[in-house]
Amino acid sequence: WRIPASVAFALQTNCGPRWLSGFLTMFMAFLLRENPVADWRPEILLGLVIGAAGLGNTLGIAIGSLTRRVNPSVTVVVALLADAVVALLAALFYGVITLVLLGLTAGLAQALAKLSLDSTIQRDVPERIQASAFARSDTTLQLSWVIGGFVGIAMPLMPRLGLGVACGVLAAWAAFVLLKKARQAGAVRA
């Protein structure tokens, strides 16, 4: 069985938001303990970021059900790019507001990206092998989360450096998947 190009693209693009989730989970847990913002207690800061991510995830599910007419490949790209932009903002303007915005965006983007992937699998994979496609995609996404978490643990606890690296990884990944898709589209037309 060969993975349809649309599913491969959705899965590859999804790896960015999932990577960021793993990265933020590990990086923020240690960073906020060592480098709290202003006079905020680390537990409160971490709670705000995690709470914002949970709210973003819930909003993503709600918005996903409202945006059924939007092409899933557009949604997954917007989710990846939104993560990169907000990670850049958090790196440049490290503070409570940008960290909460980063948590919110990461949760929202991850939910929308996953819904887009799931709808692409349901649309483009024959029903008899959809269970296998979902299992493979979930395994790949979990691996992305673990790699993100590992990078988050390995990073020095310097807010701007860590968040800048997260932005750089997401931007590079976005460029990779978009250029790969453009090359494939060009090859099909030729």
Side-chain angles (χ1 to χ4, degrees), residues 121-134:
I121 290 173
Q122 289 173 344
R123 182 190 70 199
D124 297 347
V125 173
E127 193 172 324
R128 62 181 167 42
I129 55 174
Q130 280 183 2
S132 174
F134 280 114

Side-chain angles (χ1 to χ4, degrees), residues 158-170:
M158 301 165 63
R160 288 183 172 79
L161 174 65
L163 295 170
V165 166
C167 173
V169 167
L170 293 171

